[in-house]
Each structure stands twice: as structure tokens, then as C-alpha cells.
Amino acid sequence: MRPDPRTGIATVCLSGTLEDKLAAAAKAGFDGIELFENDLLAARPGPAEIRKRCADLGLSIDLYQPFRDFEAVPPDVLAANLRRAEHKFDVMAELGVDTVLVCSSVSPDAIDDDDLAAEQLHLLASRASERGLRIAYEALAWGRYVNGYEHAWRIVRRAAHPALGVCLDSFHILSKGDDPRVIRAIPGEKIFFLQLADAPTLPMDVLQWSRHHRLFPGQGDFDLTTFTGHVLATGYTGPLSLEVFNDVFRQADPYRASVDAMRSLLALKDSLGLLDIPSAPASQGYAFAEIVGDSGLAALGFTRAGVHRTKPVELWTQGEARVLVNASGEPGTIAALGITVPDPTAAGQRSEGMLAPALSRTAGPGEAALTAIAAPDGTQIFFCSSDDWIEDFVPTGESAPAAGITGIDHVSLTQPFDHFDEATLFYRSVLGLEPGPVTEFAAPYGLVRGRGVSGSGIRLSLDAALVRRGDWAPAVREPQHIAFSCDDALASARALRTLGARVLEIPANYYDDLAARTGLAAETIGALQECSVLYDRDARGEFLHFYTELAGARVFFEVVQRIGDYRGFGVVNAPVRMAAHHDARLTSTQH
Ligand SMILES: O=C(O)c1ccc(O)c(O)c1
Ligand SMILES: [Mg+2]
């Protein structure tokens, strides 16, 4: 195995005072930091004291940043810039940091002349090296003349000073679509620093994109595994350091954000084969989903198959679908998911390696001891091997008429907006689920962002309200739901009605539009409408689905039929579903 690179995080990623940021980064296990100048300027302790604070916390200060608008300027500006630099060098000496990031100029004073830039950077590097310091030159994607890393490297090569190298920042390189393979042509010892950031693909101004929408690796659309692989292939031995400007992270609890950040580097290292932990479990699907409170599952054709030996929990089954109904806990929530994996111990070790909080469980004598972890939204995830856990339930011998439900298709978990990206990365890194595309839609009370994460037998749909809501929107959290699979949605909808289930009624307007949109035969539309079944299709197949009204305070059920290889979740229909649920909620509270 290759040597394990050190980890770093820029203080600009985190919220709070500099002291808060340092404490959080150290507690999350980072080896070092990039000290962002503004964080130093606003701090009460002086540079020497900060140096000591970092040393006490076991953090090295790996980079001082940024130094702006230095190169390729007229002589009078150069003199002022060198004066400015000497002052920074004094501060760096006190801090005990040896590398300063110089980002490419955005100044109107700058001149489009690589020779001049090289000459002046050479001068700066000589001044730095007299004091044992180094200059890492970074091309900002919006630099006035230098805005690509190959250009920055050409200038560094031309300057030919041992104290001058490049700083590579994945955002500036990948946001512009530059080819990262050329990195391999740079000698590792000339890469003085590596900054890592992911981002969603957004067709917008690159400066705004960079300053507000960066994400930790694995949360966005960039391929950071390949990118980092190129950098490590050069022999680069510096830290993998995160530089993520993100409005949400900058308001978040800095420790929680630091753990999320550290998880992103662990997952990145894992994807590069640099981590010695078990790989993500090859799950075989849902063992169970657990809800709290009265569920109305009987009307869905479920049988109360067992009662737990020691806990107030019932096992309800239909086909391969198994739902645990827990009488204790916060009513109307999805409390837990059970996932069948080949090796629960290995899955637990991986979870621990990815910083997932382990839950301690009390198993009675002879009961299955399940490995459990907590997802960011508090949902408990149990790793089950085979179906041993079912032995914990005493069979009731009851049986009830079924409604064609065959299993659990997916579970939809509503996320607090601020933890949406954290949740995606959590499921990706801990369970190996692959995120699908991000979708956004206008729901009755605002925009909602949704994203599916799925892999071997497990599908989760995550969604979050896009902006914080004011007084107008109802003060309820969006409900969560379990979607069951079936082979014939129309037949199941009819069976459920017969059993007395409250199927969510869909307005006629929806079916008018559906006819126009799909060209489905009138009889088909009529049957869908009669059963309040919604419809979607993609290039791979079709999707028929319907919903129940809210069963508890925050839980409802969906029944879905996938035809062909349809991979989505019927997101186009979500606004209609949400409006219908809201209607149903109003109607039930008025009665
Ligand atoms: O947005 C900026 O100004 C900025 C500063 C320093 C960096 O390393 C960077 O990538 C961007
Ligand atoms: Mg940068």
C-alpha cells in the first residue's frame, strides 16, 4: 500500500471563531489546517499563541492563504507588493508555517506577460527562501490572465526557483473542464500544495459557484478519485487538504462539519485503495423497516406475524416486506432500517472506519445482537445477516388477506436541508450506495430538492425543503414514507380499498395532463384515475404508484410497480402527492 497522505482542512470551510474551528478540526482527526488570513485577522490570540494552540491540538499549520494580486505588475506596484509580502513573511515566521498560497492576479494592474510574471514570482521566491519559506502559486479559475493550472505551471517552470511551486485546487481545474491528466507531467516536488473540493455541476459564474457551492469530495459531480490519483502519481507527499467554500457549512456546527469533511477524505482514500477497512457491504436488500406508533398496516394487507419476546415491537409481514411496529419512540416516524448484509461485523467495521456513530443495543438472552449505526438524520441502520433476527419474534399464527405487496422498494427520508449533502455522502461512504441526479421541484410550500441513493437491493430517496420556511408554511416536518413493491399496482390499489385502506385521492387535473403528456390510451388513464394511481416513465421502463393518506403524524405508505428497468422514484409526481396530502390533512383536522 502507498503511504497514507496526511489530511488537512482550510479554516475557511468552518463556522465560528478561529478557536472553534481549530478545536473542531482537531477533534475530527485532521492532521493540519490551511490558515485563512481573515480568520487570523479576526482572532484575539496573536500568531505565536495560535501556533501554540495548534501544536497543543496536534494540528500543523500547512498553508497560509491567500496572498492576492502579486504577479506581473508595473515596477511601483511590485515594490508595494514585496513590502506587503515581507510583512506576511513576518507573520508566517511567528505562526511557524512555511508555505504561502499566492493566487493568480485578478487585478486590473496585472499585465498579460508570462515572462514578467515569472520574473516577479522568482523575486518573491528568493525573498521567501531567504527566510526558509516557500511560495505555492495557484491559478484561480477567474484569474485575469492566469486561470488554468497548466498556465500557472508554465510560469513556475519558467521562474525556475526551488522555493516556487504550484498549488493545485481541484475546483479551479475541474470546474473549467481542464484535463487533469496533464498533472502527471508536473514533478511531485513542484506541487507544493493540493486543495480538494467537489461541486455540483451548475452552469453559472465560476466565482460565485466557487465561493458558495463547493462541496466535500463525494458530495458533488467531480471525479476526485481520478483527480487525486493523478496528483499522487507524481509523488506528491503533501496533505490532502479540503478547501470548501459553502454557505451551509459555514453556518453549521463546526465539529459536525469537520466530521463530514473527514468522512469525505476517508471515502476518497478508500476509493484510491489507501484505506485498510472492509469494503462497502454487498447488501441483499431490506431486512425490515421500523416505524413507531399505530400504522394501519392491517388495511394494507399485512399480517401481524410476530410479537417481540422482550420489547413492545410487532412484526408485520406481506410477501417479502417486513415492517416492525414499535409502540415506544416518537410516534409517526421511521425509526430504523434493517439491511441484510453478508457480514454484519465487517459492515460495522466499515461504518466505524467512516465515522458513523455506533449505537449500543441491548439484546436479551438468546436474542440476535445486531450491529447498529445512526444516520445523520437519526435513522437507525441495523446490519442483519440472514433472517436470524426474526427468531426474536414469537409467531402469532395470525394470517390476513394480502393485497399483492411483495417487498420494500424504497424508503423516503426527509432530511433537514443543512444535512442533505452530508446524508448523501454518509450513505455513499458507509453503505456504498450511489447517488443519482439531484432533482428540484416546486411543492405546495416551496421548492424541494430530492436525490436517490441506491445500490445492491437498497434504494433510499432523500429530500429536503430548499429554503428555510417562514410563518406561512405549515409548521410540520414533511412526512417520511416506506414504498412497497407490487406486481400490479391497479390490482393492489383495488385490494387495498376493499380492505379499507385510505388511498390518497389524486385530482382529475393530473389525469387530464397525463393523457396529453403520455398519449396513454383513454381506458388506461381511466383505470389509473379510478384507482388514484400515478404514472411515470423513462427510457428504461414505466412506473405506476399510489399512496396512502398519512398513517401517523409523519408516516405514510406508497405502493409501486416497476415495469422494465425504470430506476427513478416518480419525482415528477411528488408535487401532486404533496398537495393531495396537504388537502387530506386539512380535511381530517377540520372534521
Ligand atoms: O475565492 C477565493 O478568493 C480563493 C482564495 C484562495 C483559494 O485557494 C481559492 O481557491 C479561492
Ligand atoms: Mg484554492
Side-chain angles (χ1 to χ4, degrees):
M1 205 180 276
R2 287 185 286 195
D4 188 21
R6 291 158 36 75
T7 56
I9 186 165
T11 55
V12 72
C13 303
L14 301 172
S15 191
T17 63
L18 181 58
E19 291 93 323
D20 295 333
K21 297 173 191 227
L22 297 177
K27 193 171 163 204
F30 280 95
D31 299 311
I33 55 148
E34 299 174 34
L35 183 55
F36 203 69
E37 185 165 81
N38 285 7
D39 285 318
L40 172 71
L41 303 189
R44 192 68 62 191
E49 212 176 316
I50 287 166
R51 172 187 199 155
K52 182 169 182 312
R53 180 82 51 101
C54 288
D56 290 347
L57 289 166
L59 289 172
S60 57
I61 308 179
D62 296 323
L63 187 77
Y64 186 64
Q65 70 127 323
F67 190 68
R68 299 183 191 271
D69 297 333
F70 175 79
E71 80 284 18
V73 288
D76 56 321
V77 182
L78 175 67
N81 284 352
L82 285 170
R83 233 180 1 258
R84 209 158 44 92
E86 291 290 352
H87 176 77
K88 302 297 174 204
F89 293 164
D90 294 341
V91 174
M92 288 172 65
E94 276 193 81
L95 286 166
V97 51
D98 68 0
T99 307
V100 60
L101 179 146
V102 171
C103 45
S104 61
S105 182
V106 300
S107 164
D109 290 336
I111 300 162
D112 185 10
D113 182 342
D114 286 1
D115 286 329
L116 187 63
E119 185 190 311
Q120 295 184 351
L121 283 167
H122 183 102
L123 186 58
L124 183 67
S126 325
R127 298 282 181 89
S129 73
E130 282 165 22
R131 310 179 57 159
L133 306 177
R134 314 192 302 170
I135 308 295
Y137 183 52
E138 174 192 44
L140 295 179
W142 55 91
R144 188 159 162 87
Y145 296 113
V146 179
N147 45 42
Y149 80 99
E150 292 180 61
H151 192 177
W153 166 230
R154 274 201 306 279
I155 290 172
V156 164
R157 209 169 30 184
R158 193 166 309 181
H161 194 288
L164 179 67
V166 290
C167 167
L168 299 180
D169 178 326
S170 62
F171 180 86
H172 297 299
I173 295 169
L174 300 175
S175 63
K176 295 185 63 199
D178 287 349
D179 183 355
R181 280 174 304 187
V182 185
I183 290 171
R184 288 173 178 260
I186 308 175
E189 71 273 9
K190 291 305 272 184
I191 302 175
F192 281 7
F193 209 78
L194 172 63
Q195 295 178 316
L196 295 173
D198 201 343
T201 305
L202 295 171
M204 66 185 289
D205 172 66
V206 71
L207 186 148
Q208 294 300 325
W209 186 15
S210 174
R211 295 244 172 107
H212 300 279
H213 301 284
R214 290 190 184 203
L215 292 169
F216 294 126
Q219 296 179 335
D221 295 326
F222 295 165
D223 178 0
L224 287 167
T225 301
T226 303
F227 178 89
T228 310
H230 293 318
V231 179
L232 295 180
T234 67
Y236 170 78
T237 55
L240 307 182
S241 188
L242 298 164
E243 188 193 36
V244 172
F245 306 89
N246 179 293
D247 299 347
V248 171
F249 300 157
R250 289 209 63 168
Q251 287 194 347
D253 172 333
Y255 175 62
R256 184 165 179 169
S258 296
V259 171
D260 188 23
M262 182 53 97
R263 183 177 296 127
S264 78
L265 285 185
L266 291 168
L268 178 65
K269 285 184 180 185
D270 186 48
S271 71
L272 288 160
L274 297 172
L275 214 59
D276 190 15
I277 61 169
S279 49
S283 88
Q284 285 123 36
Y286 288 105
F288 62 81
E290 178 175 321
I291 58 178
V292 179
D294 179 31
S295 59
L297 283 172
L300 269 62
F302 277 75
T303 291
R304 197 179 70 117
V307 176
H308 196 276
R309 292 176 197 283
T310 58
K311 296 172 187 154
V313 182
E314 295 176 345
L315 167 65
W316 289 72
T317 63
Q318 182 173 185
E320 295 291 309
R322 289 174 295 222
V323 180
L324 306 187
V325 179
N326 198 329
S328 73
E330 187 191 340
T333 54
I334 296 175
L337 301 175
I339 293 176
T340 306
V341 297
D343 184 348
T345 308
Q349 283 163 354
R350 180 178 181 82
S351 304
E352 191 185 344
M354 289 294 164
L355 310 177
L359 296 171
S360 60
R361 295 280 306 167
T362 49
E367 286 175 6
L370 297 173
T371 308
I373 56 170
D377 67 357
T379 305
Q380 302 176 15
I381 313 272
F382 290 84
F383 296 118
C384 313
S385 75
S386 66
D387 290 336
D388 292 354
W389 59 274
I390 290 186
E391 307 295 321
D392 297 346
F393 292 84
V394 180
T396 61
E398 293 172 16
S399 90
I405 284 169
T406 54
I408 295 178
D409 179 88
H410 67 271
V411 175
S412 175
L413 299 173
T414 305
Q415 305 297 309
F417 177 75
D418 289 359
H419 301 306
F420 189 79
D421 296 307
E422 178 189 357
T424 307
L425 176 63
F426 178 91
Y427 290 112
R428 179 178 214 173
S429 58
V430 175
L431 299 183
L433 305 182
E434 272 309 308
V438 173
T439 50
E440 279 171 11
F441 54 87
Y445 290 98
L447 289 179
V448 171
R449 176 175 298 174
R451 189 170 205 186
V453 289
S454 52
S456 52
I458 301 293
R459 287 191 197 93
L460 288 170
S461 133
L462 308 174
D463 55 58
L466 219 51
V467 284
R468 289 168 216 274
R469 303 188 294 189
D471 294 339
W472 155 246
V476 290
R477 262 178 76 185
E478 278 301 328
Q480 312 196 311
H481 77 271
I482 302 172
F484 299 114
S485 49
C486 73
D487 295 330
D488 183 342
L490 292 171
S492 285
R494 291 186 182 115
L496 252 63
R497 281 220 177 117
T498 308
L499 290 169
R502 302 201 312 182
V503 172
L504 186 69
E505 269 192 52
I506 302 301
N509 291 353
Y510 172 81
Y511 294 96
D512 275 354
D513 177 64
L514 187 63
R517 194 152 57 84
T518 61
L520 286 174
E523 313 86 86
T524 311
I525 300 274
L528 293 171
Q529 179 166 10
E530 186 248 317
C531 295
S532 275
V533 170
L534 300 138
Y535 178 87
D536 187 28
R537 67 184 170 204
D538 64 13
R540 299 189 180 97
E542 293 172 290
F543 191 61
L544 274 63
H545 58 143
F546 65 93
Y547 297 93
T548 68
E549 290 182 11
L550 286 171
R554 281 183 48 220
V555 176
F556 63 93
F557 301 103
E558 178 182 6
V559 179
V560 316
Q561 178 188 359
R562 290 178 188 271
I563 302 171
D565 190 25
Y566 177 91
R567 304 221 179 134
F569 299 89
V571 173
V572 282
N573 298 323
V576 177
R577 191 277 297 162
M578 287 179 176
H581 264 141
H582 181 66
D583 269 1
R585 189 151 46 197
L586 279 187
T587 317
S588 66
T589 51
Q590 277 161 8
H591 286 180

